[in-house]
Structure formats: C-alpha cells, structure tokens
Amino acid sequence: MSGKPTVVLVHGFWGGAAHWNKVILELKRQGYGSIRAVELPLTSLADDAERTRKMVAQVDGPVVLVGHSYGGAVISQAGNLPNVVALVYIAAFAPDAGESPGGITQEHVPIAASNLAPDSDGYLWVQADKFHESFCQDLTPDEGYVMGITQKAPLASTFGDAVSAPAWKHKPSWYQISSQDRMIAPENQKRMSARMGARKVIELAASHASLASQPAEVAALIDEAAQATA
C-alpha cells in the first residue's frame, strides 16, 4: 500500500461524496490505503475548488485527483497543486480557461436538460421522479429513486462560473466517456477529452452515473493513472 498515491475523489452536481461508494471499495480491493472523498458545498466554483485544494494540501505525498461531472471543472481549477500527479475525468466537464459548465452544456444540450427545475432559493434540482431516467438509467429503479431523493442540488449560478487556469494543460490526464449520458452530452465529452490530449480515453456504454454502474472499469482507469505517474 505504501507505494500507491492518495486518491482524492470529487463529486459533481446532484450528488455527494457517497456517490463514489462503489469505486472506493474497488480501489480498496486494489490495495489503495489512502482514499479521500471531498464533500463540496456546490455554492460556487471558487468555494468548491478551495475545499478541494484544502483536502489535497493535507496529503503528504502524491495525489491522483478524480472528478465526476461538475467535479471535472473543480479538479481543473484546483489541480495545479504540486503534489497532484494525475487528473482523471469521469463523464466530466473539462473547461478551458474562461469556459463554464453552463457554456459547454449549451454547445450540445443533453437529453435530460428539460428535467432540471430551479427552486425559489436559487438551487437547481433534477426532478426527483425523473432522476432515474435522467442521471442513472443503468442502475435499478430503487437505486435511482434513492439517489433522486438524496440528491445535493447546486446553486444554479455555479453553472456560469468559469475556470481560470485549467490544470489539465499541465498535468497528465485520463478521461472516461459515458456514451449513454443524458446529463453531459457525449459529444461534449468527446470534444473535451480530445482537446486535453488525454493519455488514455475509454468509452463505456454507461449513464452519467458510470461511477455507480461500472465502478470496476472506473477504478481500473484511476489505477492506470496512478501507476503511470508513480
């Protein structure tokens, strides 16, 4: 275990750190003894990146930083710390400087965009009764039901927050595309992964929730990034 880096996992919109639970167990089985999962406030990119930077800075040694969904924007903003040795994007946003998740979304609007609903406090939700079909259609209906009820909504304004100095321009990166994604259009994922010059891109026939539906494949990509940068 001592030879492996720390893996820091960053969730996205409409979920918390627990969205990584199956990947965490896969990494544990592979001998990773130091795994962290950030709990983001989802109040602004600045707040979320700062929370991630603080967790990475607590690690004494190399870090593989992994982002799912909006978490990809967070690791792009927070990943320039010197102990970050690799970035792994899981069906994630990878904005360039000046780009925001919202702006990228408008390039190819995802299938489930109409299932988002703002509330009177400025938070943006996936309609709970549409969560399974929108976010995780390759999980069981019961799993989708629970994820919909327990979702963590972001402040809608966070969608417009732009990355300033994307870490993927300086750090080796890996990317997993979800070909059945209804939350981030696969066309956008393909464009972002090609633009970053990822060392490896894999495509899974998965929903947006590939971290839950195909955790072994996601963990294997993380492990490959860790080994390549050891």
Side-chain angles (χ1 to χ4, degrees):
M1 287 188 187
S2 59
K4 294 184 181 292
T6 295
V7 176
V8 176
L9 304 164
V10 183
H11 67 82
F13 292 149
W14 305 298
H19 269 197
W20 292 104
N21 58 357
K22 295 179 182 179
V23 171
I24 289 167
L25 292 175
E26 290 288 342
L27 291 171
K28 180 173 179 282
R29 290 186 199 100
Q30 293 180 26
Y32 286 84
S34 181
I35 305 167
R36 313 264 178 107
V38 183
E39 190 68 49
L40 300 177
L42 299 183
T43 47
S44 70
L45 179 60
D47 292 345
D48 296 331
E50 183 61 19
R51 182 71 201 94
T52 302
R53 274 193 289 263
K54 285 181 176 179
M55 183 165 279
V56 171
Q58 292 289 327
V59 177
D60 182 16
V63 167
V64 174
L65 193 53
V66 186
H68 172 245
S69 186
Y70 162 75
V74 177
I75 70 171
S76 296
Q77 185 73 6
N80 285 306
L81 289 173
N83 62 329
V84 175
V85 296
L87 303 169
V88 185
Y89 292 80
I90 305 302
F93 288 109
D96 203 344
E99 288 184 343
S100 66
I104 292 169
T105 296
Q106 292 306 309
E107 294 177 21
H108 293 280
V109 177
I111 292 171
S114 62
N115 295 336
L116 301 179
D119 68 15
S120 58
D121 294 318
Y123 291 88
L124 191 64
W125 300 81
V126 180
Q127 295 177 55
D129 62 341
K130 302 283 182 65
F131 196 94
H132 180 242
E133 68 182 69
S134 302
F135 196 98
C136 56
Q137 72 273 15
D138 51 356
L139 298 178
T140 68
D142 282 351
E143 287 178 297
Y145 179 78
V146 172
M147 289 175 78
I149 296 297
T150 60
Q151 68 179 286
K152 184 173 183 178
L155 279 175
S157 57
T158 306
F159 264 99
D161 292 345
V163 167
S164 57
W168 53 261
K169 289 193 169 181
H170 315 287
K171 305 280 186 175
S173 301
W174 282 253
Y175 198 105
Q176 178 259 306
I177 295 167
S178 285
S179 65
Q180 307 302 311
D181 201 315
R182 298 173 181 174
M183 300 299 296
I184 300 178
E187 296 90 338
N188 279 336
Q189 296 181 37
K190 290 173 183 176
R191 183 182 70 82
M192 289 184 287
S193 61
R195 177 176 66 181
M196 70 166 51
R199 290 201 181 182
K200 183 171 184 178
V201 178
I202 65 169
E203 185 167 328
L204 300 177
S207 71
H208 191 55
S210 54
L211 74 176
S213 63
Q214 299 200 35
E217 291 80 359
V218 169
L221 187 66
I222 296 168
D223 180 56
E224 187 169 320
Q227 292 194 47
T229 52

